Amino acid sequence: MAKTNIIAGLDIGSGKMTCIAAAQDYETGTLQVLAGRSVPCKGLRGGVVLDIRETSAAVQHVLGSIERELNQDVSTLVVGVRGSHLESFSNHGTYNISRLDKEITQADMALAIENAKAMPIKNDNEIINVIPQGFAIDKQKGISNPEGMEGSLLEVDVHITTGSSTHLNNLAKAIQRPGYRIDNIVYGLVPLGDAVLTQEEKELGAMVIDLGGETMSVGIYIDGILKFSRDIPYGCDLITRDLSCGLRTSRQNAQDIKEKYGVSFPTSLDEDGEIPVPSLDGRTIHNIKKSFILDIIQPRTEELFEYIRRCVEQSGYKDFPMLGVLTGGGSLLPGVTDHCINILGMKEVRLGGVQRDLLTSDEEFFEPKYSTAMALALYTCQGGGVEDYSREGFDKDASFFGKIGKAFKNFNLFGG
C-alpha cells in the first residue's frame, strides 16, 4: 500500500490491549480502518499497569504486528485510559475582556477554560481531559460558540477528568520502552460517547455504558453535553470467575461457555438443554443444564447493574429521561438490555457500536471489543487532523494537557 499517515488508537483495557490503525482520506474526509489487534496483557488490571515488562511486551506485540502488516510505522499514537483512579467533575471559569473592541477571540475562550482548570486536585493527580460544556456572555447563558461576539465577561462551564500521575507515568513508560511515542492520552469514554451516540441522542439525553472486563464506564449526556462520567471498578470478569467456581472448570473454559451459552435474563433462555463442561484438569467432561448457567450469571449481572444504578443516583441526573446505550464486550451477553430496563428504569435501551457512517472498515472491526480503539482514531481526526496534531509526545516533566493550545486541537469545542 502507498505510504500514508497511520493513526493508531490504543485502548488500555481490563487485562487486555486493543488497537485500531487507520488512515484519513483528506479528499472524502472519511477515516479508513486498515488493521486491528486485541491481545491479552497480564501486566494490566483494571486499566492500571501492574507489570511494566508484561505491558511493554503487549505494546510491542500489538503495535509491531500492525506495523508489519501495513509495512510502515505508526505516525500518530493516541492512548485511551480507564480505571478507578480517574475522577471527573464540572467546574466554572471566567475571563474579563478589557479591550476596547470587546470582540471575543479563541484566545479569550482559551483563557476562560484555563481559569476553569485552576482548581484544587489531589497532589498525585493531573488533568487528562477538559471539555467545554457551554459559554455565557455577560450572564447570557446557552452560547455554544462565542467567537466573534461582543461582551465584557466571558464564562465557561467545563467537564474535567483527572488521573493519577503515577499510573499515567507508568503507562507512558511501558509504551515508550519499545520505542513508541505517545501523541495524546485521553479518557477512553470521551471519544467512545461521541462515536456511539448521535448528536440527537445526546441532545435528548443519553447514557452510554461501557461494560468492560474489570471496569465499567458510565457517561451521561444532557442537552448534547457530557455532564457526568465515572469508572466503576467492577466488570464482567466477575461473571467469568463465578462460572469458573460454580462449574469447577478453568477460567478460559468458563469464558468460552459464557460467550457460547451464557444468558443473563430468563427470557433469553431459548431452551433448557445440556452442555458439556470440561473439568478443572481437562481430563473429564460433565454435562449441566443451561438453566444452571443462568442461575450463576443472573445474580452477578444484577449486582453489576446495581453498581451502575447507585452511580447514576449519585450523579444528580437520574430523573432525566435518557436513552441507554450499552457497548463493550459485556454488552454481547444476551439479556443485559433487560437488566438495564428493570434496574435503571429506562424505557429504551439499545446496543451501541461505532456509527458506520463515520468511517469505512471491514466488518470484524465493528465488534464491540474494538469500539473504544476505533473511537480514539476518530477522535484524533475530528480534533484537527493529523497534519495539525501536536507532535510533542509525552513529556514526563509536564502534564499531558499542560498547554491550552493542545487541548483546543484535540477537542471539537462546538459539538458534532
Side-chain angles (χ1 to χ4, degrees):
M1 62 176 289
K3 298 294 182 182
T4 186
N5 289 321
I6 302 298
I7 303 166
L10 183 63
D11 175 23
I12 306 300
S14 304
K16 68 176 182 179
M17 199 171 286
T18 304
C19 185
I20 283 290
Q24 189 172 18
D25 187 331
Y26 292 100
E27 293 183 0
T28 63
T30 60
L31 188 71
Q32 180 183 5
V33 175
L34 304 176
R37 295 287 188 280
S38 184
V39 300
C41 179
K42 295 180 180 179
L44 292 171
R45 181 176 297 168
V48 172
V49 175
L50 299 182
D51 187 317
I52 284 185
R53 291 185 180 181
E54 288 277 359
T55 306
S56 292
V59 170
Q60 179 64 59
H61 177 69
V62 71
L63 290 175
S65 60
I66 284 177
E67 289 180 330
R68 288 190 295 273
E69 178 181 341
L70 301 180
N71 194 31
Q72 65 181 104
D73 294 339
V74 167
S75 308
T76 301
L77 176 61
V78 57
V79 179
V81 295
R82 67 183 72 203
S84 58
H85 69 97
L86 301 177
E87 296 182 356
S88 297
F89 38 83
S90 296
N91 200 34
H92 186 77
T94 62
Y95 180 67
N96 289 302
I97 300 170
S98 57
R99 299 186 307 273
L100 292 177
D101 61 12
K102 302 294 183 181
E103 184 173 315
I104 296 170
T105 65
Q106 281 211 5
D108 298 325
M109 294 158 60
L111 288 168
I113 294 172
E114 187 71 16
N115 290 336
K117 292 166 57 180
M119 60 179 300
I121 60 176
K122 293 179 181 178
N123 290 335
D124 185 47
N125 278 21
E126 61 183 83
I127 293 175
I128 301 176
N129 289 113
V130 180
I131 303 176
Q133 297 175 314
F135 292 86
I137 299 177
D138 295 340
K139 303 300 181 179
Q140 177 61 53
K141 298 181 179 180
I143 298 172
S144 60
N145 181 3
E147 185 180 8
M149 301 175 70
E150 290 190 3
S152 299
L153 178 64
L154 178 65
E155 299 175 82
V156 64
D157 291 314
V158 297
H159 186 75
I160 297 174
T161 302
T162 67
S164 165
S165 297
T166 298
H167 294 319
L168 296 172
N169 288 340
N170 286 335
L171 176 61
K173 288 180 179 179
I175 295 173
Q176 288 176 317
R177 179 172 284 195
Y180 294 99
R181 182 185 59 190
I182 301 169
D183 289 279
N184 200 0
I185 291 183
V186 300
Y187 178 25
L189 182 68
V190 172
L192 180 64
D194 288 338
V196 303
L197 296 173
T198 66
Q199 186 61 28
E200 183 176 7
E201 287 173 337
K202 289 189 284 187
E203 293 285 348
L204 294 174
M207 181 192 306
V208 59
I209 302 172
D210 182 12
L211 297 173
E214 295 174 353
T215 62
M216 299 183 295
S217 302
V218 179
I220 295 176
Y221 291 79
I222 304 291
D223 296 330
I225 297 167
L226 178 62
K227 294 288 190 177
F228 175 84
S229 60
R230 184 68 50 82
D231 261 31
I232 302 171
Y234 304 100
C236 297
D237 282 355
L238 292 176
I239 299 174
T240 305
R241 188 189 67 180
D242 289 353
L243 282 173
S244 178
C245 295
L247 302 180
R248 293 181 176 84
T249 190
S250 69
R251 228 18 122 72
Q252 186 57 56
N253 288 335
Q255 179 70 21
D256 294 340
I257 290 170
K258 182 178 74 172
E259 293 177 357
K260 190 172 182 180
Y261 303 106
V263 296
S264 65
F265 204 78
T267 55
S268 299
L269 187 64
D270 52 358
E271 59 179 16
D272 194 13
E274 292 189 339
I275 62 170
V277 178
S279 63
L280 196 58
D281 61 8
R283 295 180 180 179
T284 60
I285 293 179
H286 58 280
N287 293 326
I288 61 155
K289 289 188 175 182
K290 290 182 180 179
S291 58
F292 184 68
I293 296 178
L294 171 63
D295 291 340
I296 296 174
I297 294 177
Q298 183 175 356
R300 179 62 81 177
T301 308
E302 290 173 349
E303 181 184 8
L304 292 174
F305 275 92
E306 282 293 337
Y307 284 120
I308 296 172
R309 181 186 63 80
R310 289 197 288 269
C311 176
V312 174
E313 287 180 347
Q314 294 169 3
S315 74
Y317 296 101
K318 76 180 187 70
D319 295 327
F320 284 80
M322 285 184 285
L323 161 75
V325 178
L326 300 175
T327 187
S331 67
L332 296 177
L333 185 64
V336 291
T337 55
D338 296 286
H339 290 292
C340 196
I341 292 170
N342 288 352
I343 296 175
L344 301 184
M346 293 184 171
K347 294 182 179 179
E348 185 178 355
V349 179
R350 69 171 175 86
L351 301 182
V354 174
Q355 300 171 61
R356 292 173 180 260
D357 60 340
L358 297 177
L359 43 72
T360 58
S361 172
D362 292 339
E363 189 64 29
E364 65 176 302
F365 300 126
F366 282 108
E367 294 180 15
K369 67 179 179 181
Y370 289 110
S371 291
T372 299
M374 192 180 287
L376 288 165
L378 277 168
Y379 179 81
T380 303
C381 291
Q382 294 170 349
V386 175
E387 291 179 334
D388 297 328
Y389 208 75
S390 171
R391 293 291 179 178
E392 295 171 4
F394 176 77
D395 181 356
K396 67 180 180 180
D397 296 321
S399 297
F400 295 124
F401 285 81
K403 297 186 178 180
I404 192 65
K406 183 175 180 181
F408 268 88
K409 286 182 179 179
N410 298 335
F411 178 71
N412 181 0
L413 278 170
F414 314 119

